[in-house]
């Protein structure tokens, strides 16, 4: 359910910023893989907050996922070949991947160069 919610949210943000076809598809795959890796670090009933920003004139998409991941970086704490491939894909595809352990929530942020846009939005999604 959370993956579907993230996909709908992100698609809306990217389309609103006129990001289309290959770039949109690639970002959707990156987001889905990132969410799956984040979920693997969280409790089954955990919730995540997704934030997407497309700053005007910067040619970037910034996606943040915040949730309780027990202080574990989801791209470094992978289990299994599929998770390792997902982490590698995200790292190769994105210009930056950052992890921050917070007192309440952990945050994973990806930054990817892409076409311009001008919006920022947040939405809570199910785990």
């Amino acid at each position: 359910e959370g993956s579907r919610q993230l996909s709908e949210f992100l698609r809306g943000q990217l389309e609103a910023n006129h990001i289309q076809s290959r770039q949109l598809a690639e970002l959707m795959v990156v987001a889905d893989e990132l969410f799956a890796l984040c979920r693997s670090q969280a409790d089954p009933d955990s919730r995540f907050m997704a934030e997407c920003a497309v700053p005007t004139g910067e040619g970037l998409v910034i996606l943040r996922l915040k949730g309780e991941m027990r202080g574990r970086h989801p791209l470094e704490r992978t289990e299994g070949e599929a998770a390792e491939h997902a982490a590698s894909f995200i790292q190769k595809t994105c210009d930056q991947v950052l992890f921050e352990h917070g007192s309440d929530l952990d945050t994973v942020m990806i930054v990817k160069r892409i076409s311009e846009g001008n919006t920022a939005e947040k939405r809570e999604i199910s785990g």
Side-chain angles (χ1 to χ4, degrees):
E1 177 62 21
S3 183
R4 181 189 61 76
Q5 290 174 343
L6 176 60
S7 179
E8 289 174 3
F9 167 67
L10 189 57
R11 181 177 301 281
Q13 289 304 299
L14 298 175
E15 288 177 350
N17 284 281
H18 310 290
I19 298 169
Q20 300 172 11
S21 60
R22 186 185 64 79
Q23 293 178 331
L24 182 125
E26 187 174 79
L27 276 162
M28 298 297 287
V29 171
V30 166
D32 189 55
E33 295 290 355
L34 181 63
F35 183 66
L37 291 173
C38 289
R39 289 286 306 125
S40 72
Q41 303 302 323
D43 291 331
D45 61 343
S46 293
R47 299 188 68 77
F48 285 84
M49 175 70 73
E51 300 174 274
C52 178
V54 186
T56 302
E58 294 184 30
L60 299 173
V61 171
I62 301 165
L63 175 64
R64 286 184 194 91
L65 292 180
K66 295 180 181 183
E68 174 50 54
M69 292 176 266
R70 303 179 199 132
R72 296 182 290 200
H73 191 313
L75 276 71
E76 294 177 359
R77 302 279 303 250
T78 57
E79 291 186 27
E81 190 174 334
E84 289 174 18
H85 285 296
S88 177
F89 171 73
I90 292 166
Q91 290 170 328
K92 288 177 185 174
T93 304
C94 297
D95 296 286
Q96 260 187 322
V97 179
L98 304 168
F99 177 77
E100 182 179 290
H101 175 55
S103 58
D104 294 329
L105 298 175
D106 301 312
T107 303
V108 178
M109 180 176 76
I110 59 168
V111 179
K112 177 144 180 59
R113 292 209 177 279
I114 206 154
S115 58
E116 283 186 32
N118 61 358
T119 192
E121 192 69 35
K122 296 181 183 181
R123 180 173 296 168
E124 186 172 291
I125 54 177
S126 309

